[in-house]
Amino acid sequence: MQKLLLWPAVVLALLVGCSSFERAPLEPPQVIGGDAKGPMAEVQVSLSDGAGIAALLNKNYNETTTSCTQYGTGLARGYYWCTGVLVRTTDDGAFNPWESSPTALQLHGTSYSWIRHDLQNAGLFKPAGYVILSPADAAANTVPGVTSFANAVQCVYPLDAWTQRTMDRSHIGCDFEGTGLTVITSPWGSCENRLGYSNSAQWNARFESQGRVIYRQCSWGADNQQGWRNMIASHNIYTGISQYNEVMLTNWGGTGSLPLANEQYRKSIPAFFYDVAKPGGLAIAQSFQRKMFATGRRVPILRLSFTAAAAQRFQFQQADQVAGQYP
């Protein structure tokens, strides 16, 4: 998760570190949704139905599945595919919230978090942000007009890993510090692929041996289902060190695919949200909503309360909306 902008580090990397980059072309975003290639949802929800969007996210938040499979291929996918809620918190500024920061573009990876009822969360990094629709919901056309990605999610860390601390992590931020900024975009985790780990006990033992330093964690590959179970188990032990996990997504920075990726990320947002426990969040979310409305799309703002009942984690309130009509 981005802790600070680290502008000097970016400038230094541009001036003297270019040889550490592998500029191989990245595959463009593989969009899911809008093509009726999956089983249609039993109930569809319009972006104009704020309460319906909240209900959908609460349903996903309270899912108990331990297995996700890609429709049509039978491929095993990580939990991000069909359960829980993938979110990103970000600042407000002279940019659109769905566009990655300069440091994230340099890393080719952007930090998100994943939340679910069985993951102990008391908060997120910043007061406001947005939700990415799950690929399973996009394939089912659950929210008409909202799509998702087949090839964006790369890995998950049980805790905030401060992936932009030194800007020299391979595999879109999923490798250890000092491994260079080699651009390799496929689900990959340093726990299983570099260390040969398979369970949370191994992760916990290594974390202890590294002095519980968050930026020395290993990551689990995004489509390693056991890795997601390991992540939940380890996070719930060390939640006092970090309230949220870190999920790395490709942003296609520095390639011709970036403009397309930015547009597809915009189209993958079914809701903005703000944490009711953090001051200033509503005003930030309202600014995000105005920016989205300026692109011709209305997206609801939801309240996110980690103290509310799990069934009401996300809540829609008419009074919070500032752009677009919500009946």
Side-chain angles (χ1 to χ4, degrees):
M1 192 67 70
Q2 182 179 329
K3 294 292 186 182
L4 66 168
L5 287 179
L6 296 177
W7 289 105
V10 173
V11 173
L12 180 62
L14 287 171
L15 291 176
V16 301
C18 294
S19 62
S20 66
F21 291 82
E22 179 181 310
R23 291 300 187 185
L26 304 184
E27 291 185 7
Q30 297 175 19
V31 178
I32 293 178
D35 52 12
K37 290 184 178 179
M40 296 299 290
E42 293 182 4
V43 178
Q44 291 184 316
V45 183
S46 169
L47 279 176
S48 64
D49 181 3
I53 295 293
L56 171 65
L57 298 183
N58 284 326
K59 169 183 160 300
N60 292 348
Y61 180 84
N62 287 283
E63 278 279 2
T64 58
T65 184
T66 59
S67 177
C68 294
T69 302
Q70 182 173 352
Y71 178 80
T73 68
L75 291 175
R77 293 290 195 166
Y79 283 12
Y80 71 91
W81 193 270
C82 71
T83 182
V85 183
L86 190 63
V87 301
R88 172 166 168 78
T89 61
T90 186
D91 295 317
D92 189 26
F95 53 86
N96 291 317
W98 52 87
E99 296 174 352
S100 300
S101 68
T103 45
L105 292 176
Q106 196 72 7
L107 191 63
H108 283 260
T110 300
S111 298
Y112 287 70
S113 289
W114 178 86
I115 59 176
R116 201 171 76 162
H117 72 283
D118 52 349
L119 189 77
Q120 295 177 17
N121 278 98
L124 296 169
F125 183 29
K126 294 180 179 179
Y130 59 87
V131 173
I132 293 288
L133 189 68
S134 74
D137 279 331
N141 203 27
T142 303
V143 186
V146 180
T147 57
S148 192
F149 293 97
N151 61 333
V153 184
Q154 304 296 310
C155 70
V156 57
Y157 291 92
L159 310 174
D160 173 18
W162 198 358
T163 49
Q164 296 178 7
R165 190 182 82 96
T166 57
M167 293 300 296
D168 59 354
R169 289 176 181 260
S170 180
H171 290 83
I172 316 297
C174 294
D175 209 343
F176 295 114
E177 290 183 350
T179 53
L181 279 170
T182 305
V183 178
I184 301 174
T185 55
S186 61
W188 186 94
S190 56
C191 293
E192 65 269 48
N193 294 116
R194 194 171 290 283
L195 300 177
Y197 289 175
S198 61
N199 57 64
S200 60
Q202 292 168 311
W203 190 97
N204 298 346
R206 185 179 188 279
F207 189 58
E208 292 289 347
S209 73
Q210 297 295 313
R212 298 189 174 190
V213 176
I214 59 172
Y215 54 80
R216 293 177 180 165
Q217 297 173 69
C218 66
S219 64
W220 297 104
D223 285 330
N224 179 349
Q225 294 182 355
Q226 181 59 46
W228 285 82
R229 291 188 280 273
N230 297 340
M231 178 275 293
I232 294 171
S234 294
H235 176 89
N236 288 347
I237 291 174
Y238 296 104
T239 188
I241 295 176
S242 174
Q243 294 182 342
Y244 47 87
N245 54 25
E246 184 167 3
V247 183
M248 297 304 297
L249 273 68
T250 303
N251 58 38
W252 290 271
T255 75
S257 298
L258 179 60
L260 174 61
N262 283 339
E263 176 62 7
Q264 292 302 336
Y265 272 113
R266 183 185 73 84
K267 291 180 177 179
S268 69
I269 299 174
F272 296 109
F273 68 87
Y274 69 98
D275 186 340
V276 298
K278 293 182 183 292
L282 175 57
I284 296 172
Q286 289 174 333
S287 178
F288 293 166
Q289 188 181 56
R290 291 188 184 97
K291 289 175 179 178
M292 180 65 83
F293 191 68
T295 72
R297 176 173 292 214
R298 58 179 180 178
V299 170
I301 296 170
L302 303 180
R303 298 181 179 184
L304 174 59
S305 172
F306 287 103
T307 59
Q312 298 296 320
R313 188 67 78 228
F314 291 93
Q315 303 168 21
F316 173 81
Q317 294 292 330
Q318 179 73 42
D320 293 341
Q321 318 305 311
V322 293
Q325 298 297 314
Y326 291 87

